[in-house]
């Protein structure tokens, strides 16, 4: 009797596997037929079914799946079916999370729709995945030009300004300020000044996704990624102990452009003083 049960289970598994293979084969044929008739939406649905049933085929169908996704996305874009378009890319990135071509294409759609900060994130990821991907690099530099304000470059090349900030931060740290929060860190330069001055704990927040990613790269290039905690947050959203273990002893910032009014820096500094900064005894 035990042998009979085992045989029945084996036959059942074999039957399910045969049915799976048959469904995968038919779906692949249907997808190809739909492509020939330029029915990209239905073809895309068939490929989703195939890849969910047979993930071992991911490499085999990758290029055809990409082609189908991009064609269907173009149709959805032309029909202003934006949510459906985003859903398709989310599904595709669940299947191919480290595909630089899909990331780059998603970024291009976001950029055309005006979501430049989000687009920069996808372009940056594509470049990280494949540093030799010329299209993604060009796209990232293009969107960065939109997002990185010109005054950043002016400030970074202002030696007198940098030296003044460095000395002020050094004086504060030597006077006992061992934990530092950098609001609107930008490239991370003030955070690195604080760490080099001897601060034990340095935290930096940046709302812009592009500038946050840039700060991560700059900090890593200076071998400080384990010493400076970067937060992709608005300072008003920072909570203790969720984001910072305790109040800091020094807050530094240089958001002195139009953001003084537009980004609520006054409110940010009040919030930092009341909630994030150690109060004098």
């Amino acid at each position: 009797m035990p042998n009979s049960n085992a045989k029945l289970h084996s036959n059942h598994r074999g039957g399910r596997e045969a049915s799976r293979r048959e469904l995968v084969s038919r779906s692949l044929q249907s997808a190809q037929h739909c492509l020939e008739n330029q029915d990209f939406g239905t073809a895309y649905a068939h490929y989703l079914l195939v890849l969910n049933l047979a993930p071992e085929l991911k490499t085999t169908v990758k290029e055809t799946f990409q082609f189908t996704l991009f064609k269907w996305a173009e149709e959805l874009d032309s029909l202003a079916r934006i949510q459906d378009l985003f859903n398709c890319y989310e599904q595709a990135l669940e299947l191919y999370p480290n595909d630089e071509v899909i990331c780059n294409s998603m970024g291009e759609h976001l950029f055309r729709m005006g979501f430049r900060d989000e687009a920069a994130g996808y372009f940056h990821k594509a470049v990280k995945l494949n540093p030799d991907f010329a299209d993604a690099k060009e796209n990232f530099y293009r969107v960065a030009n939109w997002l990185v304000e010109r005054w950043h470059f002016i400030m970074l090349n202002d030696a007198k300004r940098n030296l003044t900030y460095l000395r002020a931060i050094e004086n504060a740290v030597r006077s006992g300020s061992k934990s530092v929060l950098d609001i609107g860190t930008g490239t991370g330069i003030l955070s690195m000044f604080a760490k080099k001055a001897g601060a034990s704990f340095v935290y930096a927040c940046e709302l812009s996704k592009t500038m946050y990613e840039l700060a991560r790269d700059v900090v890593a290039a200076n071998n400080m990624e384990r010493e400076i905690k970067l937060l992709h947050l608005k300072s008003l959203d920072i909570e203790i102990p969720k984001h910072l273990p305790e109040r800091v002893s020094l807050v530094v910032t240089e958001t002195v452009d139009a953001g003084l009014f537009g980004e609520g820096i006054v409110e940010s500094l009040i919030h930092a003083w009341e909630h994030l900064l150690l109060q004098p005894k």
Side-chain angles (χ1 to χ4, degrees):
M1 181 69 74
N3 289 336
S4 298
N5 287 336
K7 186 175 181 180
L8 284 172
H9 284 302
S10 177
N11 289 338
H12 182 62
R13 286 195 300 270
R16 283 191 302 177
E17 177 60 22
S19 297
R20 182 187 74 91
R21 289 198 300 265
E22 177 66 18
L23 181 55
V24 168
S25 177
R26 289 185 178 182
S27 293
L28 283 172
Q29 292 174 7
S30 296
Q32 188 60 42
H33 178 73
C34 290
L35 285 178
E36 291 171 359
N37 290 285
Q38 298 189 348
D39 183 359
F40 300 114
T42 308
Y44 176 76
H46 280 300
Y47 277 119
L48 282 183
L49 178 61
V50 168
L51 290 168
N52 279 286
L53 287 174
E56 68 273 13
L57 295 178
K58 282 184 179 181
T59 302
T60 304
V61 303
K62 180 178 178 179
E63 289 188 9
T64 311
F65 175 77
Q66 287 176 342
F67 172 81
T68 306
L69 167 66
F70 300 155
K71 287 294 187 181
W72 179 225
E74 286 176 8
E75 283 192 22
L76 292 173
D77 195 2
S78 67
L79 296 170
R81 292 171 57 183
I82 306 305
Q83 190 57 55
D84 290 335
L85 186 153
F86 287 156
N87 290 340
C88 286
Y89 273 98
E90 287 176 2
Q91 292 165 341
L93 287 169
E94 285 180 5
L95 293 166
Y96 296 95
N98 296 317
D99 189 291
E100 69 274 19
V101 179
I102 294 177
C103 285
N104 183 65
S105 180
M106 176 64 161
E108 289 176 338
H109 281 287
L110 287 165
F111 184 78
R112 285 197 294 269
M113 294 173 192
F115 300 108
R116 291 168 182 156
D117 210 25
E118 293 82 356
Y122 281 97
F123 294 145
H124 184 266
K125 182 179 180 180
V127 173
K128 283 286 189 181
L129 290 168
N130 182 1
D132 296 323
F133 189 6
D135 287 349
K137 286 197 292 187
E138 181 180 345
N139 283 332
F140 180 70
Y141 294 144
R142 178 175 53 149
V143 74
N145 284 332
W146 284 91
L147 294 172
V148 180
E149 294 88 345
R150 293 297 181 266
W151 52 265
H152 273 291
F153 301 108
I154 297 172
M155 289 193 309
L156 291 173
N157 287 286
D158 187 341
K160 183 177 179 180
R161 159 213 171 262
N162 293 339
L163 184 58
T164 301
Y165 265 94
L166 175 60
R167 286 175 177 168
I169 291 171
E170 285 177 340
N171 289 337
V173 172
R174 288 169 185 165
S175 298
S177 298
K178 296 300 183 182
S179 56
V180 180
L181 171 63
D182 180 7
I183 295 178
T185 192
T187 59
I189 188 170
L190 299 186
S191 296
M192 291 187 290
F193 282 172
K195 195 63 195 177
K196 288 181 178 179
S200 302
F201 305 99
V202 180
Y203 311 95
C205 65
E206 176 56 55
L207 181 60
S208 165
K209 178 69 172 176
T210 303
M211 295 307 300
Y212 167 76
E213 296 289 355
L214 181 59
R216 287 183 60 184
D217 288 345
V218 172
V219 168
N222 285 273
N223 299 314
M224 293 186 182
E225 64 269 31
R226 295 184 179 180
E227 301 174 321
I228 298 174
K229 182 178 180 179
L230 288 164
L231 303 168
H232 181 215
L233 284 172
K234 192 174 183 178
S235 62
L236 291 169
D237 295 329
I238 295 177
E239 299 176 13
I240 295 174
K242 183 178 180 180
H243 303 112
L244 304 183
E246 58 186 4
R247 290 173 179 251
V248 298
S249 52
L250 176 67
V251 171
V252 296
T253 187
E254 193 181 16
T255 39
V256 294
D257 70 324
L260 179 64
F261 305 103
E263 298 301 327
I265 189 60
V266 174
E267 290 82 357
S268 296
L269 292 176
I270 292 173
H271 175 77
W273 172 260
E274 293 179 344
H275 302 286
L276 308 176
L277 188 64
L278 283 171
Q279 299 298 313
K281 295 180 180 180

